[in-house]
Amino acid sequence: MSDLFAAQVQGRSTALGPQARVLHGFALPFAEALLAGIDAVLAAAPLRHLVTPGGHVMQVAMSNCGRFGWCSDRRGYRYDPNDPQTARPWPAFPPAFLALAGEAAEAAGFPGYRPDACLLNRYAPGTRLSLHQDRDEDDRVAPIVSVSLGLPATFLFGGFARGDKTVRVPLMHGDVVVWGGADRMRFHGVLPVSPGLHPATGECRLNLTFRKVR
DNA sequence: TAGTAGCG
DNA sequence: GAAC
């Protein structure tokens, strides 16, 4: 068994790599505040389906909050301080977002985390996100903090080339995945979400992905 | 290659 | 899962 992917369970966390881990249930105490924050963000910056540079409509519905928002269109991927749909700045971080992101990062070995962007993803049943790298940030060392809410999903965590072997990580409501440093540029994705009904979110999975763009 | 179609 |  490879020690990189050995997935050693230590209490309520599972190692996916030297600087990548799953914090099981870490966001549960924050869930109510996070969901309220999501509602507020989406009221100002509605979910939308972005188009990839290849011209395909993404299955995941997205929005953003924070200083920068991740955007995609036929011209490429980028971070924009404004919502292209409204020409207005993205909503500020709800306070609970920053608290959770900082505490989760610290628990995973990244103290002093100060994200400046948060991508909101909504996965309806059947929705997937194909394997990719987060490579549009200037800072490629600061961790990604990914929070799962609602319906469960299977996270794919791979290597540094698309074709590398992937590990399947079951993620439930309240789980947080943190990867940075040497593991920051690993490919990752999400398998199609199975239909279901979750008390917190209804018929969908919600994901918050924090990044440090600058 | 933040995706799909199409074949084994 | 490989090819595009």
Side-chain angles (χ1 to χ4, degrees):
Chain A
M1 182 182 295
S2 139
D3 89 330
L4 185 60
F5 292 108
Q8 303 164 338
V9 176
Q10 303 177 358
R12 291 192 58 72
S13 89
T14 301
L16 299 176
Q19 300 189 83
R21 55 204 313 117
V22 185
L23 308 176
H24 300 99
F26 192 92
L28 285 176
F30 299 80
E32 192 172 335
L34 294 175
L35 289 165
I38 290 171
D39 283 344
V41 168
L42 295 185
L47 291 165
R48 79 292 304 263
H49 291 274
L50 303 180
V51 176
T52 68
H56 297 107
V57 177
M58 293 183 66
Q59 297 180 10
V60 179
M62 297 178 163
S63 185
N64 293 279
C65 63
R67 184 88 184 77
F68 302 100
W70 188 81
C71 300
S72 175
D73 59 26
R74 255 152 279 196
R75 304 177 348 191
Y77 310 133
R78 69 185 183 278
Y79 279 95
D80 197 318
N82 298 317
D83 180 349
Q85 196 166 285
T86 63
R88 298 222 36 190
W90 296 102
F93 279 134
F97 281 34
L98 272 182
L100 168 64
E103 291 184 31
E106 178 162 13
F110 299 94
Y113 184 52
R114 299 284 181 255
D116 54 15
C118 178
L119 178 61
L120 282 73
N121 298 135
R122 185 188 62 188
Y123 294 74
T127 298
R128 52 173 267 152
L129 186 60
S130 63
L131 215 56
H132 67 278
Q133 287 173 307
D134 291 4
R135 55 184 308 158
D136 304 309
E137 303 76 22
D138 294 341
D139 191 327
R140 298 190 176 184
V141 177
I144 304 293
V145 174
S146 175
V147 183
S148 293
L149 295 168
L151 290 179
T154 300
F155 187 61
L156 300 176
F157 200 67
F160 302 105
R162 183 181 299 281
D164 289 349
K165 172 182 83 137
T166 60
V167 141
R168 284 165 167 68
V169 183
L171 294 180
M172 304 189 306
H173 182 253
D175 289 347
V176 180
V177 187
V178 181
W179 65 99
D183 291 318
R184 170 64 175 74
M185 298 306 291
R186 286 187 180 273
F187 276 84
H188 55 281
V190 179
L191 291 181
V193 170
S194 298
L197 187 64
H198 193 280
T201 62
E203 296 183 284
C204 73
R205 169 178 188 258
L206 293 173
N207 170 258
L208 303 176
T209 306
F210 295 91
R211 299 92 184 272
K212 179 144 176 49
V213 177
R214 297 174 182 158

